[in-house]
Amino acid sequence: MSITVAQGERVFSLHTNNTTYQFRADAYGILQHLYYGPLVTNTNFTYLWQPRERGFSGNPADAGTNRRISFDTMPLEFPCHGCGDYREPCLEVRNSDGSNSVDLRYVGYEITDGKPKLPGLPAVFADSDQAQTLQITLEDSITHIRAIVQYSALPSSDVITRSVRIENAGTSSVTLERVLSCCLDFMQPDSRDIISFYGRYAGERTMERTPLHHGQSRIESTRGASSLHFNPALILCDRTTTETSGSAYALLFVYSGSFIAQAGVDQIDQTRIVMGIHPQDFAWELQPGDFFQAPEVILTYSATGFETLTHNLHRLINQHLIRGKYASQRRPIPLNSWEAAYFEYDDEKLLSIAKGAVDLGAELFVLDDGWFGSRNDDTSSLGDWHVNTDKIRCGLPVFCEKINALGLKFGIWIEPEMISRNSDLYRLHPDWMLAIPGRAPISSRWQFVLDMSRQDVVEYLFDTFSSLLSSCNIEYVKWDMNRNIGDIWSQQLPDKRQGEVLHRYMLGVYDLLQRLTSKFPDVLLETCSGGGGRFDAGMLYYSPQIWCSDNTDPIDRVTIQYGTSFLYPFSCIIAHVSASPNHQTGRTVSMEARGAVAMTGSFGYSLDPSRLSTQEKEQIGKQIVDYKENWELYSHGTLYRLLPNPANRSEAAWMLVSPDRCKASLTYLLKSPIANSPVKYLKLRGLDPEKVYFVKPGNLILSGAALMHAGLPIPELRGDYPVVQFILTRHLNPGE
Ligand code: GLA
């Protein structure tokens, strides 16, 4: 049993293999957080709570003369606004009388095996023998607003998931002004750091660690997408936590829209973290009998540094979030047309690129932007998802056959959520675009956003893309989203419900994704948003891989992939070898370095083969052989980051180790070699100390213990951005 209930059925413990999470409903029915940390069984943590009278922290009426009971000072599971807690709440309402109080108290609980789906939303999945779920019902005795706080424990992943459903069991409507999915309170006043992943276009998910302070540290997106600018994730750790030691908690939001994640220290040095849908541009009218389901937050804890935290998240995402055959199968090696031709192509040019791709050893040809409507640049045609026969003169089915005849799979780029003003779709349905009556909408990259909150729009897109995918043998789709949302106003919702548009937009996107992936389960779906602008756990439920960044420069990519790797496994990080000089930075980098950085990811190419030198072509041939042989290690191996953030240093090193620890890869990249430098030794991790390994290049035969404790000397590296990639295989003596 991973979930236990003790002491008059009001102390709830969720155990995973290495962690325990505990809370209780106290004598007043307040849901009070008690503990989250290393596994501790048979313990009631109520003793930790030391109630004191605190000035200016009011007391609920039913506490009578007990001035030590205050929502304002107690560690809580689901804090509400308007009942005396002045800290960051999860729930804020506007009652029908205009008041804003909501005071939720314990009603009961239910424990079930497995993990239920969340209606309309992506969520972690688990069988009945892999998880248990606890639902706590809280209710306001005046308005009868209920919160069903949902917890699932996945013991072997060391993960707890949280979400909440708000129900209106009363007789008047209520407006939800904020519903956050999770609150994590810490009563111990330890000094802590917060780690977040900030970014921008072509520079996503840079890891940043800052000390937590009195007041709030907040990351957010109000853009209608999880965004390039902050990833929807937070890590909280001790000041002394390192890669391999110390306490660390991760919160990962399973949602792709606007979000808020906030951590703050209060007047008595308690820490609170909250995470959920951003309250800005959010208001949800809940009629009697209705419910609102908030998205899920993944929680995990490590007592042994960031490495274990990362391993927990990677395992969970690979085994309990990514679905379909490509969760475990090798994905075809693509060559994507974007950096090869941009908008400048016709079918002849594409076929010659595709022939070049075959010669290199690629397995999939991806026709990126520019194939539809009359799209010759980014000013038109989004919405007109029929082939441009001026460019693809033979039509799409015949073109696809030609690609297949070359021995390549065929894949295509789409941007379903968008509309160009210059499109037949706009001329037919101007009302389908998000726009505020009387205001000229904000354009971005010349494009506008479809109102995905409308059922008819989703229905139309489902029919359109069903026909496209049925029209020929399309085996891969890249689903892009190249702007953020503005002009949040839907023609189909009454004025007072316009606060629902952004979340309803996400529900529409998820509905379309769910229906298309169910109808075409064998199509490999890659999602994208101008690079990694919607790189989140919500999208991973539908697409096993996400385009990591439009920046394919390997030297910038090591920093982007380093940050991304804290949260997401390499199996879902798409990384391509592109041309040199690089199109984003103009930097010249060797084919070896480009390959090494792209290889530890979901690997492919974005370049024009006809512009490659003979030597580069030979190197690519070898990369493809290497990737095919070692893909399982590169995309599913256990990750060890051997050096800190490459953003702040001149070198990067990481390892991937197979589950049986018989095989490992090690990549070391030097951004700026120094003359007559000291020898660099890397102490490896994750190997079996007892096993003996054959190390190539160098042909050394060394024990795991030697490699981990004494280290491996890195050969002298010279030139621009030199790299060395080692493969370690278990060495067996004759007869072993
Ligand atoms: C976005 C993507 C690119 C490419 C272009 C096409 O920027 O990230 O990879 O598909 O759109 O317009």
Side-chain angles (χ1 to χ4, degrees):
M1 284 279 281
S2 49
I3 300 179
T4 56
V5 191
Q7 218 199 32
E9 309 232 304
R10 287 173 81 118
V11 177
F12 302 90
S13 301
L14 292 89
H15 300 293
T16 68
N17 287 359
N18 296 292
T19 70
T20 293
Y21 185 113
Q22 195 182 89
F23 59 91
R24 67 160 173 170
D26 76 357
Y28 301 96
I30 299 170
L31 210 60
Q32 185 188 26
H33 181 78
L34 293 171
Y35 174 81
Y36 186 26
L39 181 71
V40 182
T41 51
N42 301 323
T43 303
N44 181 336
F45 284 108
T46 309
Y47 76 92
L48 291 174
W49 171 232
Q50 301 291 307
R52 309 254 162 96
E53 184 185 339
R54 307 275 179 190
F56 289 78
S57 290
N59 319 106
D62 54 337
T65 55
N66 187 349
R67 292 180 21 171
R68 294 179 306 156
I69 300 299
S70 173
F71 280 105
D72 196 33
T73 54
M74 203 182 267
L76 297 171
E77 283 296 306
F78 193 68
C80 301
H81 181 66
C83 59
D85 185 354
Y86 295 96
R87 296 168 296 174
E88 210 55 33
C90 280
L91 183 65
E92 257 183 279
V93 303
R94 186 65 54 190
N95 296 310
S96 56
D97 61 2
S99 67
N100 66 357
S101 265
V102 57
D103 182 350
L104 296 175
R105 304 295 178 100
Y106 180 77
V107 174
Y109 76 93
E110 191 190 350
I111 295 175
T112 48
D113 287 339
K115 186 171 183 301
K117 289 185 174 171
L118 298 187
L121 287 167
V124 163
F125 58 84
D127 291 339
S128 54
D129 57 345
Q130 295 171 321
Q132 266 198 323
T133 296
L134 167 65
Q135 305 208 74
I136 303 285
T137 302
L138 308 172
E139 188 170 322
D140 181 295
S141 62
I142 308 293
T143 60
H144 301 290
I145 294 302
R146 285 187 176 169
I148 319 299
V149 188
Q150 301 155 320
Y151 304 81
S152 294
L154 286 88
S156 64
S157 309
D158 275 326
V159 157
I160 285 164
T161 61
R162 283 198 54 175
S163 57
V164 66
R165 190 171 71 239
I166 307 297
E167 294 176 356
N168 185 351
T171 50
S172 309
S173 86
V174 62
T175 304
L176 307 177
E177 296 189 332
R178 161 195 288 242
V179 185
L180 304 192
S181 302
C182 174
C183 169
L184 195 56
D185 273 354
F186 297 84
M187 55 181 119
Q188 289 89 348
D190 303 331
S191 299
R192 298 183 176 93
D193 286 343
I194 197 94
I195 294 175
S196 58
F197 302 87
Y198 74 94
R200 58 180 179 276
Y201 174 71
E204 297 90 333
R205 291 173 299 286
T206 304
M207 187 247 213
E208 186 171 56
R209 180 173 183 165
T210 49
L212 213 55
H213 54 84
H214 289 94
Q216 301 295 320
S217 300
R218 177 161 101 190
I219 60 159
E220 64 192 334
S221 163
T222 54
R223 297 166 174 272
S226 50
S227 89
L228 299 154
H229 308 81
F230 283 109
N231 199 257
L234 271 185
I235 293 174
L236 182 81
C237 59
D238 288 348
R239 287 274 150 87
T240 51
T241 299
T242 68
E243 201 51 39
T244 52
S245 70
S247 223
Y249 299 83
L251 290 87
L252 189 64
F253 200 24
V254 191
Y255 190 62
S256 315
S258 297
F259 76 93
I260 191 168
Q262 195 159 320
V265 181
D266 71 9
Q267 49 162 337
I268 47 173
D269 294 353
Q270 299 185 120
T271 296
R272 168 169 293 178
I273 305 189
V274 290
M275 182 178 263
I277 293 177
H278 205 298
Q280 187 173 306
D281 295 321
F282 174 86
W284 197 276
E285 194 177 286
L286 210 57
Q287 297 291 344
D290 278 359
F291 73 88
F292 176 83
Q293 176 65 55
E296 183 163 274
V297 172
I298 294 167
L299 292 169
T300 187
Y301 169 77
S302 157
T304 48
F306 305 126
E307 189 168 281
T308 309
L309 209 66
T310 286
H311 294 171
N312 293 351
L313 290 174
H314 287 193
R315 217 173 30 241
L316 181 90
I317 289 171
N318 276 327
Q319 294 172 9
H320 295 283
L321 194 63
I322 291 179
R323 302 177 296 167
K325 71 174 186 184
Y326 285 113
S328 53
Q329 270 183 28
R330 182 169 78 74
R331 301 172 200 158
I333 299 170
L335 186 136
N336 177 295
S337 72
W338 183 240
E339 289 199 23
Y342 296 102
F343 292 110
E344 310 292 315
Y345 57 76
D346 58 16
D347 42 8
E348 244 170 62
K349 181 166 175 186
L350 291 174
L351 284 168
S352 112
I353 294 172
K355 277 185 198 129
V358 179
D359 295 341
L360 294 176
E363 298 163 315
L364 160 72
F365 177 75
V366 178
L367 176 54
D368 209 283
D369 198 352
W371 61 269
F372 51 90
S374 47
R375 189 152 164 105
N376 294 314
D377 54 32
D378 59 15
T379 60
S380 80
S381 303
L382 292 168
D384 297 346
W385 300 109
H386 50 82
V387 74
N388 179 347
T389 43
D390 288 340
K391 288 169 111 176
I392 318 277
R393 284 163 295 214
C394 54
L396 204 59
V398 173
F399 182 72
C400 175
E401 277 168 24
K402 289 184 179 178
I403 294 290
N404 287 167
L406 291 172
L408 292 169
K409 292 180 192 293
F410 178 61
I412 205 157
W413 179 98
I414 57 173
E415 199 178 354
E417 301 151 65
M418 296 295 148
I419 183 165
S420 303
R421 272 254 172 85
N422 182 7
S423 69
D424 293 340
L425 185 67
Y426 181 75
R427 286 181 276 275
L428 202 61
H429 291 292
D431 56 321
W432 281 8
M433 183 171 110
L434 284 176
I436 300 169
R439 281 183 197 273
I442 301 154
S443 85
S444 181
R445 208 196 189 207
W446 293 96
Q447 62 193 62
F448 300 87
V449 185
L450 281 174
D451 182 356
M452 297 295 291
S453 73
R454 290 175 67 139
Q455 190 58 41
D456 53 353
V457 170
V458 172
E459 207 59 52
Y460 166 81
L461 292 173
F462 176 68
D463 290 344
T464 302
F465 291 108
S466 290
S467 318
L468 176 70
L469 294 180
S470 309
S471 70
C472 56
N473 189 22
I474 296 173
E475 296 181 77
Y476 160 104
V477 167
K478 178 174 170 190
W479 176 314
D480 215 332
M481 190 227 191
N482 273 320
R483 63 160 289 175
N484 289 141
I485 300 175
D487 303 287
I488 306 161
W489 201 89
S490 170
Q491 297 214 7
Q492 275 208 335
L493 284 171
D495 295 0
K496 62 179 186 157
R497 300 196 78 150
Q498 292 298 326
E500 299 176 21
V501 173
L502 270 191
H503 181 60
R504 287 189 185 276
Y505 178 99
M506 270 330 303
L507 293 177
V509 171
Y510 288 146
D511 183 27
L512 184 59
L513 278 162
Q514 180 60 37
R515 289 167 68 190
L516 285 172
T517 50
S518 308
K519 185 161 179 191
F520 301 96
D522 290 337
V523 171
L524 172 57
L525 179 65
E526 175 173 323
T527 48
C528 173
S529 178
R534 220 163 42 177
F535 204 120
D536 56 66
M539 279 295 147
L540 288 174
Y541 185 69
Y542 306 97
S543 67
Q545 56 186 47
I546 304 180
W547 182 228
C548 183
S549 175
D550 269 6
N551 189 343
T552 53
D553 176 324
I555 307 310
D556 285 357
R557 265 293 182 116
V558 284
T559 299
I560 298 172
Q561 291 177 195
Y562 172 86
T564 309
S565 81
F566 273 78
L567 311 165
Y568 306 102
F570 278 162
S571 65
C572 65
I573 299 177
I574 299 297
H576 285 183
V577 170
S578 63
S580 182
N582 178 270
H583 290 194
Q584 292 78 42
T585 61
R587 191 160 19 215
T588 302
V589 182
S590 71
M591 180 54 80
E592 266 172 324
R594 283 180 273 159
V597 172
M599 194 88 67
T600 43
S602 216
F603 182 59
Y605 293 88
S606 288
L607 45 73
D608 180 352
S610 70
R611 292 170 187 245
L612 294 167
S613 67
T614 314
Q615 193 202 6
E616 283 180 315
K617 285 183 187 166
E618 276 166 18
Q619 287 172 310
I620 288 183
K622 285 189 192 135
Q623 282 169 2
I624 289 184
V625 170
D626 177 0
Y627 188 71
K628 284 184 179 165
E629 196 178 314
N630 296 310
W631 71 273
E632 230 165 341
L633 182 63
Y634 294 149
S635 55
H636 289 274
T638 309
L639 173 69
Y640 296 87
R641 290 174 291 259
L642 298 188
L643 294 174
N645 197 347
N648 312 319
R649 53 193 298 137
S650 68
E651 52 184 0
W654 62 98
M655 284 181 72
L656 288 152
V657 180
S658 66
D660 60 4
R661 295 192 288 172
C662 286
K663 197 169 176 184
S665 73
L666 161 66
T667 311
Y668 176 80
L669 181 136
L670 192 55
K671 290 195 210 165
S672 46
I674 304 169
N676 193 24
S677 57
V679 176
K680 177 82 195 174
Y681 296 91
L682 278 180
K683 288 186 180 168
L684 308 197
R685 293 210 298 278
L687 301 175
D688 182 341
E690 305 293 327
K691 287 192 172 85
V692 174
Y693 294 89
F694 179 68
V695 184
K696 216 173 135 189
N699 298 346
L700 295 169
I701 295 174
L702 292 166
S703 71
L707 287 161
M708 293 195 290
H709 302 315
L712 181 69
I714 301 298
E716 189 178 10
L717 297 174
R718 294 166 60 84
D720 288 337
Y721 316 107
V723 71
V724 56
Q725 250 182 311
F726 296 91
I727 289 285
L728 288 76
T729 39
R730 186 176 179 197
H731 177 76
L732 292 174
N733 287 318
E736 254 189 279

